[in-house]
Amino acid sequence: MLSRTADSLFWLSRYTERADFVARILDATIRLATLPQSYSGERNEWDSALESAGDVDLFRSLYGSANEDTVRDFLAFSPANPSSIRNCIETARENARSVRTALTGEMWDDLNCAWLELKNFDNGMGREEFSRFLDWVKRVVLAFDGSAYRTMLRSDAFWFTRLGSALERADNTARILDVKYNLLLPQTERPGGSLDYFQWTTILREVSALTAYHWVYRESIKPWLVADLLILNRQMPRSLANCYEILVRHLDLIADDYGRRGASQRMAAGMQSRLTAAKITEIFDGGLHEFVTDFLADNNKLGHAIAEQYLS
Amino acid sequence: MRIRIAHETRYSYDKPARGVLQILRMTPRDHDGQHVVSWRVEPQPDGRLRPGEDSYGNICHAFETDEPVSALVLTVTGEVETHDMAGLVRGSLERVPDDFYLRATPLTESDDAIRGFAAAISRDCGTDTLAALHRLLVGLNERMVFDTNPTDSGTTAAEAFRMGRGVCQDLSHVFLSAARQLGIPARYVSGYFHRADGVSDQEAGHAWAEAKVPGIGWIGFDPANGISPTDAHVRVAVGLDYLAAAPIRGSRRGGGRETLDVRLRVDTPPARQQQGQGQRQG
Amino acid sequence: MAATAFDEMNGTPDGAAPVRSAYESLRRWLDEKPGEFFDTRRSQAELFFRRVGITFAVYGDNETSERLIPFDIIPRVLTRSEWSFLERGLTQRVRALNAFLADIYGPQDCIKAGIVPGDLVYRNPHYRLEMKDVKVPHDVYVHIAGIDVVRVGENKFHVLEDNARTPSGVSYMLENREVMMRLFPELFSGHRVAPVEDYPDALLKTLRSVAPDGGGRDPVVALLTPGRYNSAYYEHSFLADKLGVELVEAGDLFVEDDVVFMRTTQGPTRVDVIYRRIDDDFLDPLVFRPDSALGVPGLMNAYRSGNVTLANAVGTGISDDKAVYTYMPEIVRFFTGEEPLLENVPTWRCREPGALSHVLANLPDLVVKEVNGSGGYGMLVGPHASRQEIEDFRRKLKHAPDNFIAQPTLSLSTCPTFVASGVAPRHVDLRPFVLSGAREVRIVPGGLTRVALKEGSLVVNSSQGGGTKDTWVLDS
């Protein structure tokens, strides 16, 4: 396959994944913002949404303060923000257009229709309408991902789309942890504090794991268990451990097919074995923040290694 | 005259550049007016340097490096023995039919102003091609000022003529444009010029034009100096315009911004020591 | 003048003559089916084209203006005997074109013999000096030709234009047939329509046959596109898909030691044949336009060294120049030793003083074309032009007569076409695609029929509001 084709498949998957992530952040933040102050805390939830899902410096250069209106505009619609939902969908569609023959008709249809419908939305809408917009984004990504899963040949083209979404997803989950790690430290627990409860559930909502949490732990919400779920639980689709399971599996499929292994296989396998061996208490001992910072850097490095080995 | 040339072109890149590929037209051929005594093209770093010939008959080298490079230096050194032929080009390798040199190119396309300029010459000189070309040479020298500031390698003849300024490349392009407008086959020459005033360090190579005069042959016209080439000119490559005869055309991947630094020295070599002149050392 | 046009269905546009036999059952079908039937089918056809995304971009517009070329559901029909004649004529013409190109880039016998004036060749920007004395595999220059043919009578066809650079439109030929077979299966069971679906197969065979000698290696073919902003990008990706070859952009290719490689996920892969849909000017920034970001540095050196085949060859543009076109009858005679089967449209060369004065005196009746123009922009259609337009053109013509040729306004044949008011005759032309490989010339029966949708209009170009039709060659 042409390197450019693989690159487009990889990035089109990253951008659809990112659109979904930004929509979830916005959704959870709106929910938090609707709570009375005494439940949602002092902290401006819109600042924190911005830190998780966007480029704060870029935001500051374009808007004044972070509030519902400005953050919504920046994260969902701003043409100046390369990771706004609108840009994610447009960039994904551009990538799709340049490799149309590598996609199935269903995948193209999903993205092309999304791109056409996108024109109907702008930031003029009220909260309710905006929520419907976010639902629409999530459905678009689900449909696209579903089409990819159901219709693509299981060959390198498919594997590169899986690499893109897993790498992006790991990055997204780690970003949430990076912004909110202080909420998850064991010593911050104040039993019964409803304020933290809503902060934690917001995190779980952002990775659509609220229900999953209860199934897995059958306990009330404990911050270190939230961290455990997001980092180490292999059953949790958005956990770092599961993302690396997917990355390793698909990098291996590619390596077997091409008959050659390289730096990205080595790096991904190394990361995965570290995640498998880790205990959440050890992570806290070493510092959750340091762990997440290192992870984000390593995840980026893997992205570069994949690009170097296959995409350029 | 014996002319010695040392020409160094240095490209520096912000970031390492890969896949450098260049076509070099930097090697002169012999003709009646010049004999190449020695000549060397030396690229740095090492790479593959393959000699060849383009469709005009110019000697070309293709230079390629695979490894990333942060700087690239092309050093040309040589000596040429020249003779004043009063502008006449004899014994040159001709691969292209004369009619071909009537073709306009994007760089030499005429506009109303150049056509008007050519029409005035045609009115005065009628069918006397040689007289028309001399009028063109003199006219350009009067109309245009040598000025390195306003133009670059992509400036067209029409743009330069409108400004009334330019470097030897621009003046030559206007000359070609007008000559072809008069129905005279004309071509671009890139080369070197030995200055009579003793200044040997120069900023760039030289360029002039040649036109085909029925019954006589190809004759050189140097509009920047307002003369026909003499034994001070070293002729390296010809083409329809600058692009076709360009000393270097290159490409690379990556590399960021490029800085170009040219050192050119055109002088006469010191006379060979003869018995009785030299001082014994030691 | 429309009144005198030959109508492909009825013989005459007023329908007075009996329907021509090839169209009989089609005509019955048109008469029998209710109007709503056609309305539904027409919107289904449009939906089909929109869904597959067979759009073209309009020059200078941004991406939001991806447009559909209108498709007319009434097919244009040729009989087998008409087609056989065309096929022979096209083969002869394309053989002559290839021989002409091999000659002007080689021994130049036709110039020496005075068949074609040398200055017409040398001064033409499409004559590429870089190709002089370059040996191209099997002496094939025009691997893919689109020869525009117009019909002016029952048995009279003229060649209007030879497209020898990167002719486009073949995807419409294939998609038009596809949509017709889906919408009207019953029509195809009642007619023996010669298939066109094997075009991609024939194209691939043609391209592989001209690969450089690779020591028994299976040749790798790639299709080089300027990219997704090009107006014909859909066609490029469509063809790459049907051929099963990579659709590459400049950045996917690189040249090392005069060998062309494409970057793949498994490392560099050598490329043997490039079906390029990029103009000469943009192919290699080291040789042609230095500002071209669409080209591959070093490609010309690889090509001249014989390590890669470009289809079409570099420098074929000279043969589709309108000035050279006027010499085609002589060129055919000189290189094939035969009389041309397909006639040119009678043409005045304005570079000749006698012709020029005739043209200037008859501008309102003539079509004047710029020799280096294309796409219907630099032309004057006398009978449809205002007095002002004619005077403006007169000035251009006097100023540079060498740049123009003139032709009588031809009454192109008409074909029944759905328009707002129902079914009405509209002028059509035909672009068959001629494939020249190492050993044989292949032409799939049919081609692209373009139709001028405006009443009386003779301009069929899609950029000027033309549409397309399916083209049937009927085996009786």
Side-chain angles (χ1 to χ4, degrees), chain B residues 237-256:
Chain B
V238 299
L240 276 180
D241 59 14
Y242 160 74
L243 269 180
I248 303 175
R249 287 183 71 172
S251 73
R252 61 191 157 93
R253 295 197 305 279

Side-chain angles (χ1 to χ4, degrees), chain B residues 21-23 25 48 50 53-56 62 64 66 96-97 99-100 102-103 115 243 249-251 253, chain C residues 118-119 122-125 127 129-130 254-258 263 285-290 297-298 301 304 399:
Chain B
L21 179 56
Q22 297 190 319
I23 308 285
R25 281 181 202 81
R48 291 182 296 284
R50 278 168 304 156
E53 190 185 298
D54 70 12
S55 343
Y56 293 92
E64 244 178 286
D66 303 328
V96 180
D99 274 349
F100 180 79
L102 287 167
R103 187 194 288 187
R115 281 191 289 270
L243 269 180
R249 287 183 71 172
S251 73
R253 295 197 305 279
Chain C
D119 74 309
Y122 300 130
R123 297 181 66 172
N124 191 306
Y127 178 74
L129 190 62
E130 293 78 6
F254 67 95
V255 177
E256 209 174 278
D257 275 338
D258 289 347
R263 292 173 224 281
L286 293 186
V287 176
F288 301 116
R289 279 178 62 157
N301 273 357
R304 287 164 47 126
H399 175 70

Side-chain angles (χ1 to χ4, degrees), chain B:
Chain B
M1 183 181 350
R2 181 67 73 109
I3 299 179
R4 184 171 69 172
I5 289 144
H7 184 187
E8 183 187 287
T9 310
R10 173 186 294 271
Y11 295 94
S12 315
Y13 308 110
D14 277 359
K15 290 174 262 171
R18 293 185 182 198
V20 170
L21 179 56
Q22 297 190 319
I23 308 285
L24 313 174
R25 281 181 202 81
M26 306 185 90
T27 308
R29 279 189 190 276
D30 282 0
H31 58 85
D32 289 3
Q34 75 185 26
H35 170 63
V36 181
V37 180
S38 66
W39 202 268
R40 235 186 126 64
V41 178
E42 193 76 58
Q44 246 283 320
D46 289 343
R48 291 182 296 284
L49 186 70
R50 278 168 304 156
E53 190 185 298
D54 70 12
S55 343
Y56 293 92
N58 300 312
I59 296 173
C60 288
H61 290 86
F63 173 63
E64 244 178 286
T65 62
D66 303 328
E67 297 307 308
V69 291
S70 53
L72 180 73
V73 187
L74 295 161
T75 310
V76 174
T77 48
E79 278 186 32
V80 180
E81 184 71 42
T82 60
H83 311 283
D84 191 343
M85 303 286 288
L88 237 67
V89 185
R90 292 246 165 92
S92 56
L93 178 71
E94 298 297 340
R95 291 239 191 269
V96 180
D98 295 345
D99 274 349
F100 180 79
Y101 290 112
L102 287 167
R103 187 194 288 187
T105 65
L107 287 174
T108 59
E109 195 84 60
S110 62
D111 64 353
D112 285 345
I114 294 178
R115 281 191 289 270
F117 178 60
I121 291 170
S122 156
R123 272 195 301 278
D124 294 350
C125 302
T127 55
D128 186 342
T129 305
L130 196 53
L133 289 166
H134 279 290
R135 275 297 295 276
L136 183 50
L137 184 67
V138 174
L140 271 186
N141 208 258
E142 289 165 2
R143 290 274 298 255
M144 293 188 70
V145 181
F146 187 89
D147 183 348
T148 55
N149 280 328
T151 61
D152 59 41
S153 65
T155 304
T156 66
E159 287 161 357
F161 193 65
R162 203 173 311 132
M163 290 186 282
R165 9 193 99 238
V167 296
C168 49
Q169 172 188 322
D170 304 301
L171 274 76
S172 302
H173 280 159
V174 179
F175 186 94
L176 297 178
S177 179
R180 290 174 191 160
Q181 196 59 40
L182 293 168
I184 306 168
R187 65 192 178 196
Y188 187 95
V189 185
S190 81
Y192 297 103
F193 178 58
H194 179 266
R195 287 170 62 155
D197 58 9
V199 179
S200 52
D201 288 323
Q202 303 183 11
E203 282 176 18
H206 194 49
W208 60 96
E210 286 173 2
K212 181 75 181 260
V213 180
I216 301 179
W218 287 99
I219 300 180
F221 294 89
D222 178 351
N225 290 310
I227 55 170
S228 270
T230 65
D231 58 355
H233 290 70
V234 175
R235 191 175 174 275
V236 178
V238 299
L240 276 180
D241 59 14
Y242 160 74
L243 269 180
I248 303 175
R249 287 183 71 172
S251 73
R252 61 191 157 93
R253 295 197 305 279
R257 234 195 9 242
E258 168 186 292
T259 321
L260 177 65
D261 185 27
V262 177
R263 280 156 214 250
L264 171 60
R265 197 175 167 83
V266 183
D267 60 9
T268 46
R272 191 168 292 159
Q273 291 181 351
Q274 303 294 343
Q275 191 173 18
Q277 292 177 340
Q279 300 90 16
R280 275 179 186 277
Q281 289 189 338

Side-chain angles (χ1 to χ4, degrees), chain C residues 38 81 85 155 180 199 276 281 381 394:
Chain C
F38 293 109
S81 68
F85 168 74
N155 291 310
M180 286 298 285
Y199 177 82
R276 50 94 173 207
D281 265 338
V381 183
R394 185 189 303 280

